[in-house]
Amino acid sequence: MTASKYIVIPLLTCLLLLMDWYVWQAVKVVFQNNTAQTQQIVKWIFWGITAMTISGLWIYNFADPDTLGRKLRTALLFSVFTVYGSKLFSILFIFLDDVIRFFTWTKGKLFSGHETANTLIESSPTLTRSEFLMKTALVAASLPATALTWGLLSGAHDYRIRRVRLALKNLPRPFEGMTIGQISDIHSGSFFNKTAVKGGVELLLKQKPDMVFFTGDLVNDRANEVNDYVDLFAKIKAPLGVYSTLGNHDYGAYAGWPSPQAKKQNLENVKQAHKVLGYDLLTDDHRIIKLGGEKLAIIGVENISANESIFPNNGNLQRAMVGTSEASVKLLLSHDPTHWDMEVNSRYTDIDVMFSGHTHGLQLGINVGGKTYSPAQWQYKQWAGLYQKGDQQLYVNRGFGYLGFPGRVGMPPEITIFELVRA
C-alpha cells in the first residue's frame, strides 16, 4: 500500500466533511419549519449517508481488492461519486445565496448609519438564508445523481463506432482502402458487466478491420485483473494482426507493492497477458507490413508523457524507429497524446499518424450543436478525435473502458474504424 494514501485519503475526507457541513446548512433551512422529530430524522439520515459514504471511500482504498470483489468495489466507488457529485452541484446554489447575503450585509453596513452587523442580521429578513435557494440547491443535487446513475446503467457500455478517413499523401496503392480498428484503455479491473463487454467486442469484430490497434491500459494496476476477460479479448483477431502497446496504468505505478521485484513481475505478467490474448505487443519496436512490394511500418513505444511527474515515461521512440526508413507510411502507437507535441511533430516528421488514448474524454461530455465539450479539454490540448499539423495526424480514442467513476456521461466508449485513403 502506497504511503501517499495515508496522506491523501485523510485530507480528502476532511474536505468532504467540510462539504457535508456546508450542505447541511441548506438542509436545516429547508426543514426548519418541520417538527423537531422530523428534523432529527433528517439529521440522522443526512449524516448516516455521509458516514456510510466516507466509510466506503476508506474501504475502497485500503481493503484488499481481491477480497472485496469487482461489484462491491464498483458500488462503493459509485456511491462516493454520486453522493458528493450531487452535493458539489448543490453547493453552487448555496454559495450563490451566501454571495447575495454578503453583498446585502455589506450594503447595509456601509449605508445604515450606526447599526452594527449583528443588528442588521437580526433585523433584516433579506440576510437570512433564502429558503427558495436552499430548496433549489437540494433539487439541483438530484440532477448529477440522475446523470451519474444513467452513466453507470447505460453509458458505461454504450459502445459507439466512429469512422474516420485518414488521408495520407504517401500512401502506396496496395494499402489504399485498408481498414484499421482501434480500441484503447480497456481497464479490465473496472468492469462489472461481462455480458455488456462481450457486446463491445462483438461490435468491433462485426466491422472486420484488416488490422487492430490497442493503445494501452489493459489493466488498472494488477495483471490478474484481466484474467476474467481473457476469453473475450482473445477473440479480437484481424487478417494483418492485432498490435498493442502499454499505457501508464499497465506499469502498476498507482498500486502498493511489497517490493520492487513484485512490481517488476507484475509488469512482466501484463506483457505476458498481451501474448496470451494474441496481441503483438510493441515495446519500443516496430513491425513492417508488406503488400505488393510496398512497406508500411507499425511502430509502438512504451508510455511516453510530457507529464512525467505524474505518468511513467519509459519509452524510446528513436529506438523504435530504427529500421523503418524504407517504409512509405509510418503509423505510431503511443498511449499518451501529449507525446505528439512533446517530440513526434517536431523531431519525427516522417511519422504519418499517431494513435493514442489515455484521456477517456474524462468520461464526461456535453453535446451542443454537433460539438462535444468536456472538462478534458482544460487538461489536454488534444483530448479526443482527429488532430492535424502539416502532413501529420493524431487520433485520440475516447477509450473502451472506464476508470474511477464506473460509467460515462455524454462520452460513450469508443471503437474507431479508420480507412486509409490517398490524399
Side-chain angles (χ1 to χ4, degrees), residues 108-288:
K109 180 71 173 175
L110 294 175
F111 300 105
S112 61
H114 299 290
E115 286 184 289
T116 65
N118 288 335
T119 304
L120 284 169
I121 292 175
E122 292 173 359
S123 63
S124 175
T126 61
L127 292 179
T128 60
R129 282 193 176 275
S130 165
E131 187 173 354
F132 170 76
L133 279 177
M134 296 303 98
K135 288 182 178 179
T136 302
L138 297 188
V139 171
S142 66
L143 298 179
T146 301
L148 291 172
T149 301
W150 178 253
L152 172 69
L153 298 177
S154 177
H157 302 106
D158 185 18
Y159 300 104
R160 304 289 181 86
I161 297 292
R162 292 184 179 271
R163 302 186 185 277
V164 179
R165 286 168 59 88
L166 289 177
L168 309 176
K169 73 173 187 178
N170 297 322
L171 184 70
R173 290 195 180 278
F175 293 99
E176 191 168 8
M178 175 184 290
T179 56
I180 301 171
Q182 183 196 6
I183 59 174
S184 191
D185 300 86
I186 287 175
H187 288 285
S188 52
S190 297
F191 290 141
F192 60 91
N193 187 336
K194 191 171 183 178
T195 301
V197 175
K198 179 182 178 183
V201 171
E202 291 175 346
L203 182 60
L204 168 61
L205 294 176
K206 285 180 181 178
Q207 312 311 309
K208 298 181 179 180
D210 295 309
M211 67 175 73
V212 174
F213 294 163
F214 168 56
T215 45
D217 278 359
L218 179 63
V219 299
N220 293 343
D221 296 297
R222 294 172 171 80
N224 63 6
E225 294 169 7
V226 76
N227 290 351
D228 291 340
Y229 290 86
V230 167
D231 59 328
L232 291 185
F233 291 109
K235 292 179 180 179
I236 299 177
K237 307 290 184 184
L240 295 178
V242 179
Y243 303 91
S244 63
T245 192
L246 298 173
N248 56 299
H249 280 268
D250 294 319
Y251 295 90
Y254 315 111
W257 300 100
S259 67
Q261 290 75 20
K263 180 179 178 182
K264 183 178 180 180
Q265 183 60 52
N266 182 73
L267 177 58
E268 293 304 313
N269 293 344
V270 170
K271 292 178 179 180
Q272 180 62 27
H274 282 253
K275 184 178 294 187
V276 171
L277 292 171
Y279 300 174
D280 190 352
L281 178 64
L282 303 177
T283 53
D284 299 340
D285 201 355
H286 68 271
R287 301 289 183 265
I288 300 295

Side-chain angles (χ1 to χ4, degrees), residues 296-299 321 324-332 350-354:
L296 177 149
I298 303 171
I299 304 158
M321 293 283 289
T324 64
S325 58
E326 294 184 1
S328 300
V329 171
K330 299 179 180 67
L331 307 179
L332 171 64
D350 55 338
I351 290 176
D352 297 277
V353 188
M354 173 173 149

Side-chain angles (χ1 to χ4, degrees), residues 289-343:
I289 306 296
K290 298 179 182 179
L291 287 178
E294 299 288 350
K295 297 179 179 180
L296 177 149
I298 303 171
I299 304 158
V301 292
E302 295 202 43
N303 198 75
I304 299 177
S305 175
N307 303 313
E308 58 181 313
S309 61
I310 304 174
F311 305 117
N313 201 344
N314 301 323
N316 188 321
L317 180 54
Q318 182 177 4
R319 182 165 59 232
M321 293 283 289
V322 174
T324 64
S325 58
E326 294 184 1
S328 300
V329 171
K330 299 179 180 67
L331 307 179
L332 171 64
L333 280 62
S334 182
H335 177 72
D336 191 320
T338 63
H339 182 207
W340 199 54
D341 280 340
M342 179 182 171
E343 66 171 349

